[in-house]
Amino acid sequence: MKRRRSVARAAKTKPGKNAAPPKCAPKLALGQLDRHLGYFLRRLQIWVFQDFIETLRSMKVRPAQYSVLLLIEANPGRSQAVIGQTLGIERARLARLLHEMERRKWVARRASGSDARSHSLHLTADGEKELAKIKSLAERHEARLADHVGPKRHRQLMDLLRDFG
Amino acid sequence: MKRRRSVARAAKTKPGKNAAPPKCAPKLALGQLDRHLGYFLRRLQIWVFQDFIETLRSMKVRPAQYSVLLLIEANPGRSQAVIGQTLGIERARLARLLHEMERRKWVARRASGSDARSHSLHLTADGEKELAKIKSLAERHEARLADHVGPKRHRQLMDLLRDFG
DNA sequence: CGCACTTTGTTGTCAATGACAACATTCTGC
DNA sequence: GCAGAATGTTGTCATTGACAACAAAGTGCG
């Protein structure tokens, strides 16, 4: 199916308001897909991330940043290497994440006394203040997640996955 | 911490063999992180995808492609729109995925009788043959996953997530 | 019928992310 | 002291998600 390419790109698509109601989900067979844990894991994980990002949009915080902030809060003074290993974030990526958080004055990198190569990571006073707001929003997200999957299932999943990790 | 930039980039980093054994995991406190289902969900999901990709590396099949192949197999003749909606894959991305699978002669797009806009998706004979191999590898992956999380937990997670979806 | 609007598939583009390489600096083990 | 490892930094590339704009075709309504 070849279609012509046009050069002019000017006409805006303005949404009208006499649209038909959206069609229901067509309910296809999943086939072998429903024997794969990874498939369901990923579906739920996508929902979780999207809700998290939406909930924390006002703070402009993404899941990776949030996890780094929490880990610095719980383990002040540690190095980038240790934080990255714990979260599974690669060195290069963490360096850039911290660069951004330092620019926002949420995180301070101090020289480590014991190792001149590494940085000792701390939250600034600003960072702690912002993190309090962020955690409050994150709790709201978690509540919505519990509501989405059902409180009982939420508890069960949490127990299963936490024990495993 | 400013560091000089150099221009010459020639010296290779050759790994030696008198390295110290890798340090053990430093076991940091997770703080609030361990109250978030999304965190554990994501950790496991990353493991799953990496193992899947590694297991199917020889076939050069990634999770998204695999899910599309399975869905076409289970629902031959459906349109791209329906497949994409079911899997949560955006139209544009699915078009490019299918372009690749068509190039590999695994998938055929036929004209739909009822709607000249849409394509009717089918596996080719080649596609079915390859998919058989792919499914066999995918089962091996799933077995490894069950071993990783524990067979009992694997069953429980599967039940919880499948019922929910 | 004509018209407005939607739907489907396509391509272009951008941002976020993961992965990896190369580097300066510093540490460690011998 | 030295080779090699570790740490943090920057550069680059591939994949992915998201969105916009488009042509072609369907839908509903006057």
Side-chain angles (χ1 to χ4, degrees), chain B residues 36-146:
Chain B
H36 284 293
L37 180 55
Y39 172 70
F40 298 104
L41 223 42
R42 175 154 196 281
R43 294 307 296 252
L44 181 53
Q45 209 244 298
I46 287 176
W47 190 97
V48 170
F49 263 46
Q50 285 184 346
D51 185 80
F52 185 95
I53 292 170
E54 186 54 39
T55 305
L56 298 189
R57 185 177 299 283
S58 60
M59 300 290 301
K60 295 206 197 341
V61 175
R62 317 247 319 159
Q65 291 173 41
Y66 176 65
S67 67
V68 171
L69 287 173
L70 283 188
L71 224 62
I72 295 178
E73 181 193 40
N75 310 273
R78 301 314 213 80
S79 69
Q80 298 182 198
V82 176
I83 298 285
Q85 281 160 21
T86 303
L87 290 177
I89 298 176
E90 187 223 7
R91 291 204 316 261
R93 171 145 174 66
L94 185 57
R96 285 182 261 240
L97 279 174
L98 288 170
H99 184 74
E100 168 67 12
M101 298 203 263
E102 206 174 21
R103 191 192 61 76
R104 293 220 244 173
K105 310 285 188 203
W106 289 0
V107 165
R109 287 148 141 144
R110 304 184 193 147
S112 165
S114 55
D115 189 335
R117 293 170 304 177
S118 64
H119 297 157
S120 161
L121 300 176
H122 301 265
L123 295 184
T124 64
D126 260 24
E128 288 179 13
K129 224 178 304 177
E130 297 299 302
L131 184 52
K133 295 187 218 163
I134 291 169
K135 282 158 99 172
S136 151
L137 290 174
E139 279 173 30
R140 212 175 305 176
H141 151 74
E142 197 66 30
R144 214 173 358 250
L145 171 56

Side-chain angles (χ1 to χ4, degrees), chain A residues 5-120:
Chain A
R5 305 282 315 136
S6 83
V7 180
R9 288 196 173 192
K12 286 294 222 183
T13 302
K14 294 182 185 166
K17 268 302 141 200
N18 51 352
K23 297 205 175 77
C24 289
K27 284 173 190 163
L28 293 196
L30 288 185
Q32 291 290 110
L33 217 46
D34 86 348
R35 309 200 63 251
H36 284 294
L37 180 55
Y39 172 70
F40 298 104
L41 223 43
R42 181 171 141 78
R43 293 309 295 253
L44 182 53
Q45 209 244 299
I46 288 175
W47 189 97
V48 170
F49 263 46
Q50 285 184 346
D51 185 80
F52 186 95
I53 293 170
E54 186 54 41
T55 305
L56 298 190
R57 184 177 299 285
S58 60
M59 299 292 301
K60 295 207 197 337
V61 175
R62 318 249 317 159
Q65 291 171 41
Y66 177 64
S67 65
V68 171
L69 286 172
L70 284 188
L71 223 62
I72 295 178
E73 181 194 39
N75 309 273
R78 300 315 212 79
S79 70
Q80 298 181 199
V82 175
I83 298 287
Q85 281 161 20
T86 303
L87 290 176
I89 299 176
E90 188 224 6
R91 290 203 318 254
R93 172 145 173 66
L94 184 58
R96 284 180 263 242
L97 279 174
L98 288 171
H99 185 75
E100 168 67 12
M101 297 203 264
E102 205 174 21
R103 191 192 60 77
R104 293 219 246 172
K105 311 284 188 202
W106 289 359
V107 166
R109 287 150 139 143
R110 305 183 193 147
S112 164
S114 56
D115 188 334
R117 293 170 303 177
S118 65
H119 297 157
S120 160

